[in-house]
Amino acid sequence: NAGVMQNPRHLVRRRGQEARLRCSPMKGHSHVYWYRQLPEEGLKFMVYLQKENIIDESGMPKERFSAEFPKEGPSILRIQQVVRGDSAAYFCASSPRSTGGAEGEKLFFGSGTQLSVL
Amino acid sequence: GQQVMQIPQYQHVQEGEDFTTYCNSSTTLSNIQWYKQRPGGHPVFLIQLVKSGEVKKQKRLTFQFGEAKKNSSLHITATQTTDVGTYFCAGRVNTNAGKSTFGDGTTLTVKP
């Protein structure tokens, strides 16, 4: 059972370009979360999605950032017109359908995408 | 909004010494989770606490959830070099999915 797959592992963009980060959740998981991590800092929540729905995007900047989790295919975090301040590690996590209890709410993280903006 | 604070930010110990990290939430939590992130790695789930006053043990690790369900601690007995990494607590307000709010983590270094 493959874990959460994120690609690319490293992404270099110049200011003004677009960055597209992909996340395939674990098989059977229908909840996806995106977190951002700056060096030596914690994980900052960005957005929570279920298939075809954005449930909570309270942590995502209103401009330039968008996320989707289509019926088929991976979840995509898209950053338009990147700036140097967007440089960070972006982690995706998935969890099973929530039934309450520990197993339903455990987060499984991918290896992250390190975005560097030149 | 909900805030989760962790102290200390860094802890340096000699191998064999004990280590504790503390987590405090501004709001009452439905549960709290702990994760470990090795240098250069991704967070890995350690444990979840749900009940008021709950204590759970995993070998040398002891996790506690406060009576008011607003604070938690992780204690490692007799640290080893394999314990190095950053330990995060993550609090969840609603039991039915929803986001987890992470603390800023405590980074543990162990001198052999």
Side-chain angles (χ1 to χ4, degrees), chain A residues 51-101:
Chain A
K51 282 285 188 184
E52 300 184 276
N53 288 306
I54 296 174
I55 307 302
D56 182 348
E57 56 182 346
S58 59
M60 199 157 66
K62 294 283 187 287
E63 297 181 356
R64 303 189 298 108
F65 286 73
S66 62
E68 62 177 9
F69 188 16
K71 187 177 180 181
E72 301 291 337
S75 175
I76 305 287
L77 178 67
R78 183 179 175 206
I79 311 172
Q80 295 179 292
Q81 299 174 341
V82 296
V83 301
R84 289 219 173 105
D86 297 332
S87 297
Y90 291 84
F91 287 97
C92 166
S94 72
S95 67
R97 172 181 292 276
S98 178
T99 57

Side-chain angles (χ1 to χ4, degrees), chain B:
Chain B
Q2 182 195 7
Q3 290 188 337
V4 175
M5 293 144 287
Q6 251 185 286
I7 56 170
Q9 187 176 2
Y10 299 97
Q11 186 77 57
H12 312 283
V13 300
Q14 193 76 35
E15 188 173 21
E17 292 181 337
D18 292 355
F19 159 77
T20 304
T21 173
Y22 301 90
C23 182
N24 292 286
S25 169
S26 58
T27 56
T28 302
L29 302 170
S30 64
N31 63 54
I32 195 157
Q33 298 177 337
W34 285 90
Y35 292 80
K36 178 183 178 182
Q37 184 177 24
R38 293 183 185 276
H42 59 275
V44 175
F45 176 86
L46 293 177
I47 208 157
Q48 175 168 290
L49 304 169
V50 178
K51 299 176 185 174
S52 170
E54 188 170 13
V55 178
K56 286 188 175 179
K57 293 192 176 186
Q58 288 180 350
K59 296 182 180 178
R60 294 178 295 104
L61 278 62
T62 302
F63 303 84
Q64 292 187 313
F65 201 9
E67 294 290 339
K69 300 183 74 172
K70 294 180 74 172
N71 57 71
S72 181
S73 66
L74 158 60
H75 180 81
I76 302 178
T77 303
T79 55
Q80 301 175 358
T81 54
T82 52
D83 295 325
V84 298
T86 301
Y87 293 85
F88 293 99
C89 62
R92 192 182 293 235
V93 174
N94 299 310
T95 54
N96 189 19
K99 68 185 181 190
S100 291
T101 299
F102 280 75
D104 284 342
T106 296
T107 298
L108 172 66
T109 55
V110 179
K111 188 183 296 184

